[in-house]
Amino acid sequence: DEEIEQKKLVKMGVSTALAIAIHNFPEGLATFVAALDDPSVGAVLAVAIGIHNIPEGLCVALPIYYATGNRIQAFMWGCLSGLSEPIAALLGWWVLANAMSEYAYAILFGLVSGMMVIISLKELIPTAHRYDPEDTVVTYSLIGGMFIIALSLVLFKL
């Protein structure tokens, strides 16, 4: 039934939005911490995260658009899923801006790096393989993503 399929698509889009919002929180904190330590590193990280937020937003918006036919609603859900990044950055500023030390930087970079790695290993890569069980594109996409980030790092050094 078409109505049941539409409800499944909306549920998938909203669930994806919530998962991405949770996933984006450490990214916002990482960007803030990196910018505090070295603004050029913060800028590179912000651009890299911004680039990868495009497909994330599409993962949220497309199911909602196909279920509802409403571009504005799909766009709004895509945007809402990314709001946790600036919220995390603001929270980081509010809590940490005046209390930073070498150890605090080390602890925060370690924590945020660990969060991002575990999210990638436990959530993102397994989910990608769930949608591509034969691994026809996941590995190539993973390598492509690494290449894009490496290229952005090189370009910012020029």
Side-chain angles (χ1 to χ4, degrees):
D1 181 55
E2 190 174 323
E3 186 176 326
I4 292 172
E5 188 61 30
Q6 288 176 336
K7 286 182 181 180
K8 285 182 183 178
L9 284 171
V10 169
K11 182 179 178 186
M12 182 176 72
V14 172
S15 297
T16 303
L18 291 172
I20 288 173
I22 292 166
H23 155 84
N24 283 345
F25 193 84
E27 291 175 354
L29 188 57
T31 304
F32 168 75
V33 171
L36 269 182
D37 184 50
D38 182 347
S40 65
V41 172
V44 169
L45 188 57
V47 168
I49 289 172
I51 289 168
H52 102 272
N53 281 349
I54 294 168
E56 285 182 355
L58 289 172
C59 287
V60 172
L62 288 174
I64 292 173
Y65 172 71
Y66 282 110
T68 65
N70 187 328
R71 289 181 182 171
I72 294 172
Q73 184 180 4
F75 179 78
M76 293 306 294
W77 275 104
C79 289
L80 282 173
S81 69
L83 280 179
S84 63
E85 279 183 33
I87 289 170
L90 288 171
L91 183 63
W93 171 78
W94 182 62
V95 172
L96 303 169
N98 295 322
M100 294 308 287
S101 68
E102 295 290 320
Y103 288 118
Y105 278 121
I107 291 167
L108 283 173
F109 276 118
L111 286 172
V112 172
S113 298
M115 287 180 209
M116 293 171 77
V117 167
I118 209 68
I119 287 168
S120 294
L121 293 175
K122 298 287 284 174
E123 299 293 332
L124 299 176
I125 294 171
T127 300
H129 280 289
R130 195 168 57 241
Y131 288 100
D132 181 22
E134 301 299 318
D135 193 23
T136 56
V137 295
V138 171
T139 299
Y140 297 117
S141 299
L142 187 65
I143 292 167
M146 287 189 255
F147 176 76
I148 290 169
I149 294 302
L151 182 62
S152 70
L153 293 172
V154 168
L155 290 175
F156 272 100
K157 294 289 183 184
L158 297 177

